[in-house]
Amino acid sequence: MSTLFFLFVASDRVDEEFRRFRHEALPLLVYGPPALLGVVLYQYFFVSNRLRSPLTTVTQDIAESSLLEHSSLVGLNIYYTTFMLLGHALGVGSSYLFAIGSIGSLAALCVNDYLLQRHQPIHEKGLNLVSYLVGQVLPIMLGVEGIIGFLVSYLSVDSKKSGSHY
Amino acid sequence: MALIQNSYNYHTRLDTFSAIQPGSVQHMGESTLSLLEYFTSNLTTLGNSPSPTPILPKTPVSALIFFSALGGKLFIVYTRRQATIIYTLLAGAVSLVLWDRVDWRNRKKAYLLSAVGVAGSVLSGVIGANLGAAFTSLVMGRAMSW
């Protein structure tokens, strides 16, 4: 909402020189926050609110947070693996992107559960901060370029529609 | 016939002559020559060449999965058959780890909600971004004004 407000205020100050391709990273600022807001709202109302107790002790709150962290990583793993198999069954070559996500999240889960949190009881396992890092390595190294290559086709069509030049 | 390296620069302000790598023109020339040889061979209705290019056995592109990474330094290719084996093994490994590390008996609701929640979050992210786009376009009248 703050981004949209900023844009609303700034919209009267942009001129014709403030054109596409000169500030091509700005769409990230425009579309990123609303997208993140959608994700957070969904997670808050449809996942967190259904799992967390309204009144808890500190210990129970920590346990519920740990469960949410762990179940989110497991959910991510299930999501990537399911779409990898579905996409491949339908002949979609780009399913390799989901495979990369699946390997990344599986590596994070294994490092977290078998190495970093191995002494924790299974129902109290949260996520170690290092696990977040492990889960991002493969997607960043191998996946980002594939996503960009996929999106560039939209950029091409988009730029033709807008009639912009650089 | 776009050049394959650094395709993320295409149609951006980074798409300049200086970004063209040495050898790209040679590569494009070879591709053009191959196309010309094909179009002028007896393999097409345009054929008028006395010595058409022989047809060599090739794996169709549709049977391959390929992608580049690390700025084109890494190029990975495998067949769909190999992909089936790799993805099946990967799914098996995931199933094994999830069976071992998740308390399905007592925590099933949390893990299922989270699994569905990932797809819901993706959808919510798409909706959120599009609402933002609709706001800038319809309310502000400044579609893509950056």
Side-chain angles (χ1 to χ4, degrees):
Chain A
M1 292 305 292
S2 59
T3 303
L4 290 176
F5 177 74
F6 165 77
L7 284 170
F8 185 75
V9 172
S11 63
D12 286 333
R13 297 181 181 278
V14 295
D15 54 30
E16 287 303 308
E17 295 302 315
F18 194 57
R19 294 184 67 82
R20 187 172 173 78
F21 297 135
R22 291 194 176 189
H23 302 279
E24 59 195 355
L26 289 182
L28 288 174
L29 294 177
V30 179
Y31 298 131
L36 286 175
L37 183 66
V39 171
V40 170
L41 287 178
Y42 184 93
Q43 286 289 328
Y44 181 75
F45 285 110
F46 295 102
V47 181
S48 179
N49 262 9
R50 293 187 180 187
L51 296 178
R52 282 185 178 278
S53 310
L55 294 172
T56 61
T57 62
V58 173
T59 311
Q60 189 181 352
D61 188 59
I62 292 172
E64 289 179 350
S65 293
S66 299
L67 177 63
L68 264 178
E69 290 172 2
H70 197 261
S71 64
S72 295
L73 179 59
V74 168
L76 205 59
N77 208 332
I78 293 172
Y79 169 80
Y80 281 136
T81 309
T82 304
F83 277 83
M84 173 191 73
L85 292 174
L86 276 176
H88 184 63
L90 294 172
V92 179
S94 296
S95 300
Y96 78 86
L97 290 167
F98 288 106
I100 290 170
S102 178
I103 295 171
S105 54
L106 180 64
L109 187 63
C110 288
V111 167
N112 186 76
D113 279 32
Y114 292 121
L115 290 176
L116 302 172
Q117 305 276 58
R118 64 183 181 278
H119 299 305
Q120 293 286 96
I122 194 166
H123 58 278
E124 290 180 8
K125 283 188 190 301
L127 291 188
N128 190 295
L129 288 179
V130 176
S131 305
Y132 290 94
L133 181 67
V134 172
Q136 293 301 313
V137 171
L138 266 184
I140 286 175
M141 289 181 68
L142 300 180
V144 171
E145 204 166 312
I147 288 284
I148 292 173
F150 177 72
L151 293 179
V152 78
S153 56
Y154 289 97
L155 179 64
S156 171
V157 173
D158 192 36
S159 62
K160 286 170 186 168
K161 281 175 66 180
S162 68
S164 300
H165 303 285
Y166 57 95
Chain B
M1 201 185 292
L3 306 178
I4 61 168
Q5 292 292 325
N6 301 330
S7 60
Y8 45 84
N9 287 340
Y10 292 177
H11 309 292
T12 72
R13 63 189 165 85
L14 302 176
D15 198 358
T16 61
F17 285 114
S18 61
I20 298 177
Q21 296 178 332
S24 298
V25 178
Q26 177 70 29
H27 179 265
M28 184 171 280
E30 288 174 358
S31 300
T32 307
L33 182 61
S34 297
L35 281 172
L36 281 173
E37 284 180 345
Y38 175 74
F39 286 135
T40 55
S41 73
N42 291 331
L43 300 173
T44 70
T45 54
L46 302 172
N48 55 9
S49 171
S51 55
T53 306
I55 303 173
L56 300 175
K58 290 180 180 176
T59 303
V61 175
S62 60
L64 293 174
I65 294 167
F66 53 90
F67 58 96
S68 64
L70 304 178
K73 292 181 177 62
L74 191 64
F75 192 75
I76 299 171
V77 184
Y78 50 96
T79 64
R80 287 192 180 274
R81 185 182 296 273
Q82 289 170 330
T84 302
I85 297 170
I86 295 168
Y87 295 169
T88 304
L89 288 174
L90 179 57
V94 168
S95 303
L96 199 61
V97 171
L98 296 193
W99 173 76
D100 183 46
R101 304 316 303 168
V102 174
D103 184 8
W104 291 107
R105 180 170 297 177
N106 300 314
R107 307 283 182 181
K108 184 168 65 178
K109 180 187 174 186
Y111 285 94
L112 288 181
L113 265 180
S114 293
V116 175
V118 176
S121 295
V122 171
L123 189 62
S124 302
V126 171
I127 292 172
N130 277 279
L131 286 177
F135 184 84
T136 55
S137 175
L138 301 176
V139 178
M140 294 165 53
R142 296 279 189 173
M144 296 191 295
S145 61
W146 51 82

